[in-house]
Amino acid sequence: MKKWIALLTIIPAIGSLTVINKIEPYIFGLPFIVFWSTAWLILTSVCLFICNAIYDKREEKQQ
């Protein structure tokens, strides 16, 4: 379980730190750089939510 939690917290950091310097193409009406930043913002929230759920489930089993 600790490996999954660590992996889910590292993935957003790697994805959000990639350097992209493109405006074209437009995705959902947004320039690519804005779409990329927004997508990683949402994916980071999802990954942290999953980590929290795993951690809470593990904590309940220990009690």
Side-chain angles (χ1 to χ4, degrees), residues 4-13 39-55:
W4 282 107
I5 292 173
L7 182 66
L8 285 172
T9 55
I10 291 172
I11 288 174
W40 276 107
L41 177 72
I42 294 167
L43 287 172
T44 300
S45 300
V46 169
C47 287
L48 290 176
F49 177 77
I50 293 169
C51 287
N52 189 31
I54 292 170
Y55 186 75

Side-chain angles (χ1 to χ4, degrees), residues 9-20 36-37 39-41 43-44:
T9 55
I10 291 172
I11 288 174
I14 293 170
S16 64
L17 292 177
T18 54
V19 177
I20 296 173
W36 186 259
S37 299
W40 276 107
L41 177 72
L43 287 172
T44 300

Side-chain angles (χ1 to χ4, degrees), residues 18-29:
T18 54
V19 177
I20 296 173
N21 193 14
K22 288 187 175 183
I23 294 176
E24 298 285 335
Y26 285 92
I27 302 173
F28 299 121

